[in-house]
Amino acid sequence: MSPLAVMGLLAGVMFGIGAIAAIARIITGPSILDRALATDVLLAIAICGLGAEMAINRHTDTLVVMLVLALFAIVGSIAIARFISKEDAS
């Protein structure tokens, strides 16, 4: 097994553990902000996983997917922040 394959496997395991932890926080989070933060972490893990896959396989086919995921993360965070700020004002 080549060193690049070992590094890819190790990265995949770490991304998987992080994703499981984020999903557990989404399920058990006591507040909406905890769940929103865990969702952002899950999206960041997905983006990093796609970036690692692109680096290992030496292609740029999934770059558009990474950009769309980043857009969803930003728009979702802004929407939740606006929703929470309106809820706190009343």
Side-chain angles (χ1 to χ4, degrees):
M1 192 174 235
S2 70
L4 189 60
V6 172
M7 292 300 290
L9 184 64
L10 185 62
V13 168
M14 289 190 294
F15 287 142
I17 291 171
I20 289 169
I23 290 170
R25 187 48 136 179
I26 290 171
I27 293 170
T28 63
S31 71
I32 188 74
L33 292 176
D34 290 330
R35 290 184 172 103
L37 183 62
T39 303
D40 284 341
V41 168
L42 190 61
L43 281 171
I45 289 170
I47 292 169
C48 289
L50 286 172
E53 187 270 330
M54 279 184 3
I56 290 169
N57 293 329
R58 299 175 187 223
H59 67 83
T60 58
D61 295 340
T62 55
L63 186 63
V64 175
V65 176
M66 290 174 59
L67 291 173
V68 169
L69 283 176
L71 178 70
F72 284 156
I74 291 169
V75 170
S77 296
I78 291 171
I80 290 172
R82 290 180 59 109
F83 174 75
I84 294 298
S85 69
K86 287 181 183 178
E87 191 175 276
D88 288 342
S90 51

